[in-house]
Amino acid sequence: MSAASTLHTLENLKPTDLPTPPQAEIRIVQACSDENVTSKELTALISSDPVITAELLRMVNSAFYGLSREVSTINHAVTILGQRALRNLALCLSVRDALKDDYLCNFNIEEYWEDALRRAIAARFLGQTAKLDHDECFTIGLLQDFGMLAVFHTQPDSSNLWETYRKLDPEARYKKEQKDFGVSHDKAGLMLGSAWELPQELISAMAYHHHGDYKNMKPQDLAYCKIALCSDWVAAVFTAEDKVGTLKSCKKLLKNIFKISEKDCDDMLTQVADDVEEAAKALGLNVPPSVKYEDVMLEANKHLADEALSYQELTWRLEKTLEERDKISDELHKELELAREIQKSLLPETESMDSCVCGLNISAKEVSGDFYDFFTLDDGRIYFNLADVSGKGMNAALLMVKTSSLFHCLGKTIDDPVQLMNVINTELFETSTRGMFVTMVGGIYTPHTGEVTLVNAGHQPVIYINDNDLKEIPAEAPPLGILPNIGLSACSFNIKDGLMFVYTDGLPELYDKTDPGNASHEMLSLFKKIKSIQRKDRINVIKEELKRHKKVMHDDLTILLIDGCKEKELTHG
Amino acid sequence: MEYKINKNGGYSVIELEGEIDLYCSPDARKVILKELKNGDDMLIDLSKVSYIDSSGIACLVEGYQVANEKKVKFALLGVSQNALNVLKLARLDNVFKIYNSIDEI
């Protein structure tokens, strides 16, 4: 449907197109509103129509109206109730009669009256709370959404939307009306009220109970608008699909506007539900079987219970998942611990600190990509190596294990370091994955001569220090595993009067992260200090130094010391 | 780590920027291997790389090895001093072709 066409239709709607109340009732309403009409004249006017007289007396004497004594004549009614109350009664009758004879096809008029009565009863309660004329408020409640009928009148094919609207809260319904029809019931109510020449305060409440220029509104009209707004929410509690949300919004609104407590709100809702039947009877209207507030609460609580159950289930599942995660984490941790133990077992015994070769490996993670090894050949020479696998973690650790094993195993049969490392390079290259490589220093040390032959494949420079000299042996070839042939060559020199340091980049990075190849002054000072103390204390001094730099240690760190001096020759420490 | 990919003179130029460490290198690897699938010759611009560790170098090595298999060119461009120090230290400057600018190629 087109919003523009609806608006056009509404704008061109003639009063005769709207629901028409019986003229006799309208004349009574107008007479009641006219200050110049006397009680006698009003009595005569009403009494001239026996049907209206009978209906008015029935309404006045109904249980819903709740008068303490019976009113038997119109004269009596005018005297007791006053012209304003009679006007409201006549209005209610006129509205009822205007909608007889199936005003709208396919429109459930009984449900409409049921909702209108809930609004009317709620408005009467709120009128009492706000110390306003509660009969007037009742009429406002009954009439406030009358414009909805005019809207459906313009689009009779859309009557089926009524069921959808009933399931929405007032705000959502208001937006949907505007979307579906291009106008809302309050604007249509304004036209309808004007066409019927209704009292201004009623038109105002019909037209502005959702939105309006409240700043420039008379206080009483504003109060009626607020009552109409709240009544709308009260009635919606019984029909809206989202019972929990609508009830919550309704209670919040009543608290903010009328300072009504939650308990009083529940009491009011209970009363509204209970009074619908009586009010319908009084007005001579047919409504569907009544819905108790208890039933509404039951449904709302069921939703809440479902949500609570979902929340509990969610919490339970979360706890289970966390337990599972912790279990997997524990298992993984145990596996890593095992891997760490196996890795450590591949390193030479660290107890042999008094020997001329000793080393230390500290991993940044559970497992390390660094390793060192040394073992004595049958002829007394010592094969040594120190290496660093690219990356960290488990993949580096696995490649470390492989390389270490190759070196340790093949080293017993291949006593040329160049040949040995070429074999390892070929093996690594052929099985390389993800560009991983190994930087390695490998060599042979002959203790009785102090002769060292070493090969540096892409590794940090080896540092040799004696009392007078410092020697750096940089890499002469790229790391192992990158190319099939890397042109390895050996370098030989004598360390009989000094100490040789082979280390991974974790050590220089403690001092200069951006250029680990730069053997910093601090690192060289550490080496000199180590050289000056006894062998057994050296590893502890290195550990102390690492503790000092613990915060900046991000990489594995491995260091191998080969001492060419005889222990007895040490003059310091 | 940030990266940009440009096409220049038949080369796919990947400009890496920032630190290429253990945490960023998987991203660098993904970018390099994805571009290599196109079959273009490749230049890795390292002029804005402030730090590269062994996992970052491994990305370059893998790129180099894949490029060799595919018989496409693979070279480094405008290598920053910090990255160059690491490459030279490991003698990888003898493995990778390194150019100061694309005009040198």
Side-chain angles (χ1 to χ4, degrees), chain A residues 320-568:
Chain A
K320 281 278 167 201
T321 307
L322 288 174
E323 276 174 25
E324 193 70 17
R325 185 204 63 180
D326 291 344
K327 194 178 157 196
I328 292 169
S329 172
D330 284 347
E331 283 172 5
L332 194 62
H333 187 70
K334 280 177 193 163
E335 292 291 322
L336 283 170
E337 273 299 311
L338 192 61
R340 183 187 178 89
E341 270 182 47
I342 291 169
Q343 270 207 312
K344 288 286 173 194
S345 74
L346 296 174
L347 299 174
E349 289 291 329
T350 48
E351 284 80 52
S352 54
M353 296 219 180
D354 282 344
S355 75
C356 58
V357 184
C358 68
L360 175 72
N361 167 257
I362 307 280
S363 51
K365 295 191 169 191
E366 278 87 349
V367 288
S368 175
D370 289 1
F371 68 94
Y372 71 92
D373 193 11
F374 57 86
F375 51 90
T376 307
L377 298 170
D378 292 341
D379 58 7
R381 291 181 302 158
I382 297 171
Y383 231 134
F384 65 88
N385 85 338
L386 182 143
D388 184 357
V389 177
S390 61
K392 291 185 188 69
M394 192 51 82
N395 56 347
L398 288 170
L399 189 57
M400 169 265 176
V401 170
K402 176 180 179 177
T403 313
S404 166
S405 301
L406 280 171
F407 186 91
H408 197 86
C409 182
L410 295 173
K412 288 171 182 168
T413 54
I414 306 172
D415 68 356
D416 174 7
V418 172
Q419 193 187 347
L420 172 61
M421 285 170 64
N422 269 327
V423 172
I424 295 173
N425 176 61
T426 304
E427 177 62 25
L428 293 181
F429 176 75
E430 285 174 359
T431 56
S432 109
T433 56
R434 291 179 167 245
M436 289 178 75
F437 56 85
V438 181
T439 67
M440 181 186 282
V441 171
I444 292 180
Y445 169 55
T446 310
H448 71 272
T449 62
E451 197 69 19
V452 164
T453 298
L454 64 80
V455 181
N456 186 341
H459 198 81
Q460 295 284 316
V462 174
I463 305 280
Y464 166 70
I465 298 176
N466 64 16
D467 289 338
N468 310 311
D469 198 14
L470 183 147
K471 184 180 173 73
E472 276 192 40
I473 302 101
E476 290 294 334
L480 310 180
I482 294 176
L483 297 170
N485 298 299
I486 50 176
L488 290 170
S489 62
C491 163
S492 295
F493 54 99
N494 199 292
I495 62 165
K496 70 178 178 186
D497 53 356
L499 186 57
M500 188 174 83
F501 296 87
V502 191
Y503 50 88
T504 55
D505 53 6
L507 183 65
E509 278 184 10
L510 294 180
Y511 307 104
D512 186 354
K513 184 187 171 189
T514 55
D515 188 4
N518 178 29
S520 73
H521 177 73
E522 278 185 275
M523 191 175 77
L524 292 177
S525 296
L526 173 71
F527 288 173
K528 283 173 185 168
K529 182 180 174 184
I530 290 168
K531 183 184 172 294
S532 70
I533 59 177
Q534 288 189 333
R535 285 176 182 167
K536 65 181 176 62
D537 298 324
R538 285 173 176 164
I539 293 298
N540 285 335
V541 166
I542 297 169
K543 284 180 179 171
E544 284 299 316
E545 181 71 358
L546 296 184
K547 264 189 203 169
R548 204 163 66 81
H549 290 90
K550 199 175 178 183
K551 282 183 184 170
V552 291
M553 187 176 159
H554 304 295
D555 200 357
D556 301 337
L557 193 153
T558 304
I559 186 165
L560 180 73
L561 275 58
I562 301 179
D563 191 352
C565 305
K566 302 291 178 202
E567 179 76 325
K568 61 182 180 184

